């Protein structure tokens, strides 16, 4: 059985992330990791804060803190929020770690040794007002391709095109806003991607066929446009230093590696951080080096795809060492906010800290994955959110759990009633549940989240249909043993829902499972036979009625949310 290495695009350090960041990388990776663990696989889920680069320095300056202190505080703040969302990382590291510094420098040395890095004198933008060379992200202006007026000097976040600062129209300094810019000569290291283009294309041909269309099309677009040699050093105070033993002149000038050179290497660095906490029991290299038994799945939004499918693979290929490369890239489109983009830099949309202040994590987890922007951009609206919460979570699942347990306790006491042996209705239900569970598993295996959520919802709905058909509140008047059977079967559905819903709504799943005082409840998943039998919770098992799992969002709630975050006029 393959070991599964799961990585999600590193959240950047310059502030609390919004829901678009969450649904585009970390949350789907967590749902998949949880699912794989429950199915018995050996899983390692790695993520980290991406801490280098221009925005970190600018954000630290705005906060009045040294950049190292700013990054440490932001790492802790982000980690607390991800804990609140129930993200079960095996390790959440930091790209500023010494482990990442060492591995990044090792990669750079090997690339030079193999003829894929060279030093070049280039002409770079210098800000007279700031008295410094400006890295790409310190320069903003209008994108020449789409006209977006807040494009950065390295990439337009609107159309995702990779840019050079000199491409921008009406360029200005992000530090001072000054347009007094001139081009001067300086030296930088270049990754010779042009020499590796054929190898990258061959690699994508070999593995990219099973990727979603979104990921493969972006990667091939880059290849079609041609891979150009790219500067991989910057004039910054904060970053992985160029090693002095290899490039003494550049090291003396304080050059650091470009954030998009060291950030993907942090997947490896963070794994070493994890292993270094318990080196006797953890072998980081077994996941990354000569790791033929590992299947590596990466999760990211579409703007991160070029770097993960072309630039980092070129780096790995050029090192000429057997480092594990990605097997499957799960890319996502944008989650918009009333038709406009979520944006950290513009503070537009709902941010993860505010989301958790409003409602528990499971509300957000379920909604985001049930409406994941897989094939197209999707739009968050409060109306859609409240409808999904009220119909799916509060009515279909939460109400089922409450009415079954409350009615059974009222009529039969605090233990699961015995009643008759299962009859035709229960056999029919078991077959339906087993079929729906197989569909759910198939969609999860294929990383089709919207379809998986629909199958999960169908599982919940099947319980409601069974309950309505059997109507134990009427049945008990003429056939008490029959009503007991109905409730016992429904309680077994609740336990099944607890097990299979855990990847999506872990806290609620725990509450459902905790309702039953089973002597030995070690079920990690539900087999086809178990789904058909629906007998995991035997008669006589003590149970309690948990607090309401999901409270409905009222019209008053909806109005307050719109007032705080903007509503239908936000776009």
């Amino acid at each position: 059985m393959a070991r599964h290495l799961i990585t999600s695009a590193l959240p950047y350090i310059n502030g609390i992330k919004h829901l678009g960041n969450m649904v585009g990388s970390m949350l789907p990776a967590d749902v998949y990791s949880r699912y794989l663990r429950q199915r018995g696989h050996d899983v390692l889920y790695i993520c980290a804060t991406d801490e280098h680069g221009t925005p970190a320095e600018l954000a630290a300056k705005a906060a009045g803190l040294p950049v190292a202190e700013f990054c440490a505080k932001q790492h802790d703040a982000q980690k607390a929020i991800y804990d609140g969302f129930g993200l079960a990382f095996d390790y959440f590291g930091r790209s500023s770690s010494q482990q990442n510094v060492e591995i990044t420098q090792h990669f750079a040395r090997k690339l030079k040794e193999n003829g894929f890095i060279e030093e070049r004198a280039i002409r770079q933008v210098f800000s007279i007002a700031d008295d410094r060379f400006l890295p790409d992200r310190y320069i903003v202006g209008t994108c020449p391709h789409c006209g977006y007026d807040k494009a950065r000097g390295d990439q337009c976040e609107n159309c995702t095109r990779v840019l050079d600062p000199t491409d921008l129209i009406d360029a200005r300094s992000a530090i001072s806003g000054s347009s007094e810019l001139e081009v001067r000569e300086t030296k930088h290291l270049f990754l010779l991607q042009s020499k590796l283009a054929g190898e990258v294309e061959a690699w994508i041909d070999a593995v990219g066929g099973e990727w979603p269309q979104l990921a493969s099309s972006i990667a091939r677009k880059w290849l079609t446009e041609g891979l150009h040699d790219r500067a991989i050093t910057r004039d910054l105070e904060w970053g992985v230093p160029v090693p002095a033993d290899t490039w003494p002149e550049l090291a003396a000038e304080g050059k650091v590696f470009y954030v998009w050179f060291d950030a993907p290497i942090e997947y490896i660095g963070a794994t070493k951080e994890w292993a270094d906490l318990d080196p006797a029991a953890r072998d980081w290299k077994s996941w990354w080096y000569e790791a033929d038994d590992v299947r590596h799945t990466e999760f990211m939004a579409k703007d991160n795809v070029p770097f993960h499918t072309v630039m980092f693979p070129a780096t790995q290929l050029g090192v000429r060492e057997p480092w594990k490369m990605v097997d499957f890239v799960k890319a996502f489109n944008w989650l918009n906010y009333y038709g406009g983009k979520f944006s950290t830099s513009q503070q537009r949309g709902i941010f993860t800290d505010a989301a958790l202040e409003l409602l528990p994590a499971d509300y957000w987890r379920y909604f985001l994955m049930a409406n994941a922007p897989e094939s197209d951009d999707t739009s968050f609206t409060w109306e859609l959110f409240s409808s999904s919460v009220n119909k799916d979570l509060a009515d279909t699942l939460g109400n089922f759990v409450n009415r079954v347990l409350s009615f059974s306790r009222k009529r039969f006491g605090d233990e699961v009633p015995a009643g008759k042996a299962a009859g035709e209705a229960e056999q029919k239900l078991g077959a339906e549940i087993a079929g729906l569970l197989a569909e759910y598993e198939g969609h999860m295996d294929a990383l089709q989240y919207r379809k998986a959520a629909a199958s999960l919802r169908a599982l919940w709905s099947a319980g409601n249909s069974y309950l309505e058909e059997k109507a134990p509140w009427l049945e008990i008047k003429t056939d008490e043993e029959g009503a007991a059977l109905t409730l016992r079967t429904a309680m077994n559905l609740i336990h099944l829902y607890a097990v299979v819903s855990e990847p999506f709504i872990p806290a609620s799943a725990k509450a459902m499972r905790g309702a039953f005082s089973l002597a030995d409840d070690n079920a990690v998943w539900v087999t086809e036979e178990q789904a058909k039998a629906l007998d995991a919770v035997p008669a006589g098992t003590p149970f309690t009625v948990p607090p309401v799992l999901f409270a409905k969002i009222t019209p008053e709630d909806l109005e307050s949310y719109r007032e705080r975050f903007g509503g239908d006029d936000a776009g």
Side-chain angles (χ1 to χ4, degrees):
M1 185 177 290
R3 295 185 296 151
H4 287 267
L5 174 64
I6 311 298
T7 58
S8 54
L10 310 186
Y12 199 68
I13 198 67
N14 64 334
I16 300 303
K17 302 299 105 177
H18 53 67
L19 294 183
N21 300 128
M22 181 62 70
V23 73
S25 58
M26 291 174 285
L27 180 55
D30 178 72
V31 171
Y32 188 52
S33 298
R34 286 177 176 275
Y35 170 75
L36 289 175
R37 291 189 192 106
Q38 287 187 252
R39 298 304 305 274
H41 295 282
D42 187 6
V43 178
L44 185 67
Y45 176 22
I46 293 294
C47 193
T49 38
D50 180 4
E51 301 188 6
H52 294 138
T54 307
E57 289 194 0
L58 292 174
K61 179 181 178 182
L65 294 172
V67 65
E69 181 181 345
F70 172 82
C71 288
K73 288 179 177 294
Q74 283 296 314
H75 171 85
D76 291 345
Q78 288 197 29
K79 180 60 166 60
I81 291 170
Y82 304 147
D83 289 344
F85 266 89
L87 302 185
F89 305 114
D90 286 286
Y91 189 75
F92 186 71
R94 302 182 60 189
S95 70
S96 60
S97 69
Q98 186 59 34
Q99 290 90 337
N100 193 43
V101 170
E102 293 171 359
I103 297 171
T104 297
Q105 291 179 339
H106 168 78
F107 269 49
R109 292 187 186 100
K110 297 301 292 186
L111 287 164
K112 180 179 185 296
E113 179 183 314
N114 296 329
F116 296 117
I117 285 183
E118 70 178 25
E119 186 176 326
R120 294 180 182 176
I122 65 168
R123 294 176 66 77
Q124 185 177 340
V125 176
F126 185 89
S127 169
I128 296 172
D130 302 310
D131 192 29
R132 61 177 292 175
F133 284 104
L134 296 180
D136 295 353
R137 284 198 173 201
Y138 274 57
I139 307 164
V140 295
T142 300
C143 175
H145 302 290
C146 71
Y148 180 60
D149 64 359
K150 296 182 179 64
R152 304 185 306 257
D154 63 341
Q155 185 181 28
C156 176
E157 68 172 11
N158 186 59
C159 69
T160 77
R161 292 287 289 267
V162 174
L163 302 171
D164 286 318
T166 53
D167 294 334
L168 293 174
I169 300 167
D170 297 327
R172 57 195 181 276
S173 167
I175 302 173
S176 62
S178 172
S179 58
E180 291 185 90
L181 309 177
E182 64 182 34
V183 178
R184 297 183 183 180
E185 186 172 283
T186 185
K187 290 182 178 180
H188 281 286
L189 299 180
F190 277 72
L191 176 64
L192 305 185
Q193 293 185 138
S194 60
K195 294 175 67 173
L196 291 158
E199 294 179 50
V200 174
E201 184 170 12
W203 170 74
I204 291 176
D205 287 341
V207 303
E210 65 171 306
W211 296 355
Q213 176 66 24
L214 179 63
S216 61
S217 63
I218 292 174
R220 293 197 178 279
K221 178 184 175 185
W222 259 42
L223 290 172
T224 300
E225 293 177 352
L227 292 191
H228 304 291
D229 301 339
R230 188 161 181 84
I232 58 167
T233 50
R234 294 292 187 269
D235 295 282
L236 291 170
E237 299 173 1
W238 177 245
V240 174
V242 169
D245 59 2
T246 310
W247 294 281
E249 181 182 345
L250 296 186
E253 293 175 3
K255 306 285 188 186
V256 300
F257 285 108
Y258 174 40
V259 61
W260 265 113
F261 183 74
D262 83 85
I265 297 172
E266 168 59 8
Y267 296 129
I268 306 173
T271 308
K272 189 172 189 303
E273 293 170 51
W274 163 79
D276 286 350
L277 295 174
D278 188 4
R282 299 173 178 175
D283 180 6
W284 68 276
K285 270 198 168 182
S286 74
W287 290 94
W288 283 103
Y289 199 84
E290 296 181 333
D292 294 335
D293 64 331
V294 171
R295 179 171 174 82
H296 181 198
T297 306
E298 288 185 337
F299 293 80
M300 69 202 68
K302 60 186 175 183
D303 58 331
N304 283 328
V305 169
F307 298 100
H308 285 84
T309 62
V310 177
M311 184 173 177
F312 186 47
T315 298
Q316 290 179 290
L317 291 165
V319 169
R320 299 292 191 244
E321 292 178 337
W323 294 99
K324 179 65 186 175
M325 298 178 70
V326 67
D327 294 295
F328 191 87
V329 176
K330 177 63 175 179
F332 291 86
N333 287 284
W334 302 127
L335 174 68
N336 293 320
Y337 186 71
Y338 284 91
K341 286 180 62 180
F342 278 83
S343 174
T344 299
S345 60
Q346 299 174 38
Q347 289 291 302
R348 173 180 168 76
I350 308 160
F351 286 74
T352 49
D353 55 346
L356 292 179
E357 289 174 10
L358 291 181
L359 293 164
D362 281 358
Y363 290 64
W364 302 104
R365 288 178 63 104
Y366 174 78
F367 171 80
L368 290 171
M369 298 318 304
N371 296 277
E374 293 178 293
S375 58
D376 297 290
D377 291 350
T378 60
S379 188
F380 178 96
T381 70
W382 286 110
E383 295 77 15
L384 179 62
F385 176 69
S386 63
S387 175
S388 181
V389 167
N390 290 348
K391 291 180 180 178
D392 298 348
L393 296 178
D395 286 344
T396 305
L397 178 60
N399 188 49
F400 176 81
V401 172
N402 183 263
R403 68 197 292 209
V404 167
L405 296 180
S406 296
F407 184 73
S408 187
R409 184 177 63 178
K410 178 180 179 181
R411 302 308 296 262
F412 294 100
D414 294 330
E415 292 183 354
V416 176
K420 295 179 178 178
E424 183 179 345
E426 287 69 39
Q427 292 173 357
K428 178 183 174 184
L429 173 66
E432 181 184 9
I433 292 297
L436 290 170
L437 180 59
E439 289 182 13
Y440 176 55
E441 292 169 350
H443 294 319
M444 286 299 296
D445 290 336
L447 290 170
Q448 295 292 324
Y449 288 102
R450 292 174 73 117
K451 292 180 179 179
S455 293
L456 184 59
R457 185 166 57 244
L459 280 164
W460 300 341
S461 295
N464 282 277
S465 296
Y466 169 75
L467 203 63
E468 291 299 320
E469 177 188 342
K470 293 295 293 291
W473 50 91
L474 298 177
E475 192 177 19
I476 198 169
K477 297 177 181 178
T478 58
D479 186 358
E480 186 171 303
E481 290 293 291
L485 164 63
T486 300
L487 293 169
R488 186 183 81 234
T489 302
M491 290 188 192
N492 272 277
L493 280 176
I494 292 171
H495 186 269
L496 181 144
Y497 294 160
V499 175
V500 302
S501 302
E502 184 180 332
F504 281 76
I505 49 172
S508 304
K510 183 178 180 180
M512 286 188 283
R513 197 160 179 161
F516 303 102
S517 299
L518 288 167
D520 187 21
D521 186 8
N522 55 7
V524 293
W525 198 248
V526 179
T527 66
E528 180 183 0
E529 291 73 21
Q530 290 168 339
K532 289 180 177 179
L534 291 173
D535 60 1
V537 183
T541 301
F543 73 90
T544 58
V545 181
V548 173
L549 292 178
F550 299 100
K552 280 195 171 186
I553 296 174
T554 67
E556 292 75 23
D557 294 330
L558 202 56
E559 183 177 349
S560 70
Y561 299 160
R562 288 199 205 98
E563 182 177 344
R564 177 175 174 183
F565 297 98
D568 57 9
D569 61 346

